[in-house]
Amino acid sequence: MQVQIDAYVDHLRHERRYSPHTVSSYQRDLERLRSYAEDRSVSSWPQLQLADLRQALALFHRQGLSSKSLQRWLSAIRRFYDYLIRENLAEHNPANGLSAPKAPKKLPMTLDVDLAKQLLDQAPEDELDARDTAMAELFYSSGIRLAELAGLDMQDLDLEEGIARVLGKGRKQRIVPVGSAARDALLQWYDVRRDMTSAEETAVFINRHGQRLSHRSIQLRLKQWAQVRGYFGRLHPHLFRHSFASHLLESSGDLRAVQEMLGHADIATTQIYTHLNFQHLAQVYDRAHPRARKRNGKVQADQSGSGDD
């Protein structure tokens, strides 16, 4: 069974060109099922049936796996069996018809517009702060993911046109906007970058040794960047992405455009920001509308008039 897992992992890594993180997740999920099967004297993948997977799902749930983790696990199993069927190593997919417990939907956190402005409007304190400000501006301006920013090369940015070409999930390329504030911050960083690395280095964002910044370094530097500006909440690249999407949708109402800029394959993924904006409007309503305010658990009616029109 391990032989088939290894072959599938190679397929994901070299043919599908999945990211190392995604490949690692698939491998971990499949080996969890292999271990479960071998404990029950199952020696080949075709032997597993729907009832076996249902029992495995129930066991993993009792062991504390979240609904989201179980959904990911089940998705990995389905795709693995699809691969086995294509390779004539199995005749049916026992994961079809099986569903994981639904996870409660969590609305993404976002920065308030004024707080985002407060953080981004502060002038950089030194050369590396100029780099970190450029990263923050680009995250907020373009809504790109951490891996997309880390992978940016100089040739991917056209500051005159105000666009960036990024390589998203599934190695799909898309073009995203780069706003004027982000362009100004990038130009300031370019002046610094020129003296920090060789002409052969293609990465936009580099460390003090002139090499491409790692994902982890970007996360840590953004956290430090925010703290220098007096923000000690949990600031991370996806917070800027969520804020970009929410603020843009709130201003434009164009869900399809936001979907395209975020690189979402399914518009249902983008619709979470519609729920977020409705939640914001509901909070405004609760604070401001006279018929929404409550006192001692009861709706407080407006008694300022006689009731006549």
Side-chain angles (χ1 to χ4, degrees):
M1 297 178 82
Q2 186 64 48
V3 171
Q4 279 83 42
I5 291 178
D6 293 341
Y8 181 59
V9 167
D10 284 343
H11 167 73
L12 295 180
R13 184 180 291 121
H14 301 299
E15 296 181 38
R16 300 299 299 274
R17 305 184 74 83
Y18 281 12
S19 72
H21 175 75
T22 301
V23 172
S24 177
S25 296
Y26 271 80
Q27 186 169 13
R28 187 167 56 250
D29 287 337
L30 292 172
E31 289 184 352
R32 183 188 295 275
L33 180 58
R34 177 191 57 76
S35 177
Y36 172 88
E38 290 180 349
D39 286 346
R40 285 151 183 80
S41 301
V42 174
S43 58
S44 69
W45 294 110
Q47 285 183 258
L48 283 172
Q49 302 298 317
L50 175 62
D52 298 313
L53 295 186
R54 185 176 287 119
Q55 290 172 8
L57 195 68
L59 174 64
F60 299 154
H61 188 47
R62 290 196 302 272
Q63 291 175 341
L65 257 66
S66 68
S67 298
K68 186 175 180 180
S69 296
L70 290 172
Q71 288 171 358
R72 188 201 65 206
W73 174 82
L74 192 53
S75 175
I77 303 308
R78 281 199 195 97
R79 294 184 182 190
F80 176 58
Y81 268 97
D82 286 342
Y83 163 81
L84 292 178
I85 292 169
R86 287 197 304 272
E87 297 295 316
N88 294 318
L89 297 171
E91 294 183 356
H92 75 287
N93 191 331
N96 287 340
L98 186 62
S99 59
K102 288 189 176 180
K105 283 191 175 179
K106 291 185 179 179
L107 294 181
M109 298 292 294
T110 64
L111 290 169
D112 178 82
V113 174
D114 292 335
L115 177 57
K117 178 176 171 57
Q118 177 187 330
L119 291 172
L120 293 165
D121 280 353
Q122 298 182 45
E125 295 188 349
D126 55 36
E127 293 178 343
L128 291 182
D129 199 28
R131 177 201 61 195
D132 299 341
T133 299
M135 291 194 300
E137 284 281 10
L138 190 56
F139 273 128
Y140 183 52
S141 169
S142 307
I144 59 179
R145 302 178 178 92
L146 170 60
E148 293 168 349
L149 181 134
L152 275 177
D153 290 326
M154 296 295 289
Q155 66 185 22
D156 297 327
L157 285 167
D158 185 339
L159 299 188
E160 188 173 331
E161 292 293 327
I163 59 173
R165 293 174 181 84
V166 299
L167 199 61
K169 290 186 175 181
R171 300 188 66 79
K172 292 180 180 178
Q173 190 180 79
R174 71 182 190 282
I175 296 176
V176 296
V178 179
S180 59
R183 277 181 278 172
D184 291 343
L186 283 162
L187 288 172
Q188 188 173 354
W189 161 236
Y190 284 179
D191 288 339
V192 176
R193 180 190 178 280
R194 191 177 300 115
D195 299 325
M196 291 179 61
T197 191
S198 65
E200 287 75 28
E201 178 56 65
T202 60
V204 174
F205 297 108
I206 57 173
N207 58 28
R208 62 177 72 250
H209 304 296
Q211 300 168 334
R212 187 183 299 271
L213 271 178
S214 68
H215 294 193
R216 183 60 178 156
S217 294
I218 293 171
Q219 292 171 321
L220 290 174
R221 288 297 308 188
L222 275 182
K223 181 179 178 181
Q224 295 169 7
W225 173 87
Q227 289 176 351
V228 167
R229 285 156 175 74
Y231 180 77
F232 293 91
R234 185 169 174 265
L235 188 137
H236 50 88
H238 238 63
L239 183 61
F240 279 120
R241 180 171 164 84
H242 291 323
S243 302
F244 160 86
S246 180
H247 298 167
L248 191 61
L249 185 59
E250 187 177 342
S251 300
S252 70
D254 194 332
L255 192 65
R256 286 287 182 186
V258 175
Q259 176 194 7
E260 186 172 341
M261 282 186 271
L262 289 174
H264 285 161
D266 188 348
I267 199 168
T269 310
T270 318
Q271 284 174 332
I272 190 70
Y273 299 106
T274 304
H275 302 318
L276 190 66
N277 286 333
F278 179 79
Q279 183 187 64
H280 171 71
L281 291 173
Q283 290 170 348
V284 171
Y285 175 84
D286 288 342
R287 288 196 304 268
H289 196 285
R291 300 291 284 182
R293 291 196 293 269
K294 296 182 180 180
R295 181 177 297 170
N296 297 327
K298 296 181 179 180
V299 174
Q300 180 68 28
D302 185 353
Q303 299 177 351
S304 59
S306 64
D308 294 332
D309 221 18

